[in-house]
Amino acid sequence: PDIFLSALQYAGTYGVISLFGVLPAVLAWRQRYAEGSGGSSSGFGRGTGLDQGRAAVEMVPGGRPGLVAIGGAGAAVIANQAHMHLGQLAEALS
C-alpha cells in the first residue's frame, strides 16, 4: 500500500496542479494573445459557427498579470514539490 500512496501523491501533485493551475492560464494566454488569433487560435472554431470574428469573452479577469500570477503560482507549487521529492530521493539513495 505504501507504493500506491506514494504514486498517488506524485500524480496528485504534478497532474492536478498542471491540469488545473498551469494549463488554463497557458490556454487563456494563447487564446487572447497569440499573434493573428483574433480571439481564436490554431483554427479552432473555423467553419463550425463557433468563431464569428468576435473577440473571446474574458472569463478570467486581470489580463496578462492575472494569467501570469495564476500560471506562476501553479508552476511554483510544482517546483516546490519537485525540489522536495528530489531531496527525498537523494536522501534515500545516500
Side-chain angles (χ1 to χ4, degrees), residues 28-68:
W29 185 284
R30 183 158 183 227
Q31 182 182 21
R32 290 181 192 175
Y33 307 117
E35 274 192 46
S37 69
S40 177
S41 63
S42 71
F44 178 75
R46 286 192 195 149
T48 62
L50 294 175
D51 184 18
Q52 305 280 330
R54 297 183 307 254
V57 176
E58 290 188 12
M59 297 180 74
V60 179
R64 292 177 192 229
L67 293 177
V68 168

Side-chain angles (χ1 to χ4, degrees), residues 9-10 13-14 77-91:
Q9 180 183 9
Y10 286 110
T13 298
Y14 302 108
V77 170
I78 290 173
N80 183 27
Q81 291 295 313
H83 182 266
M84 184 181 70
H85 289 144
L86 290 174
Q88 289 174 351
L89 180 64
E91 206 173 276

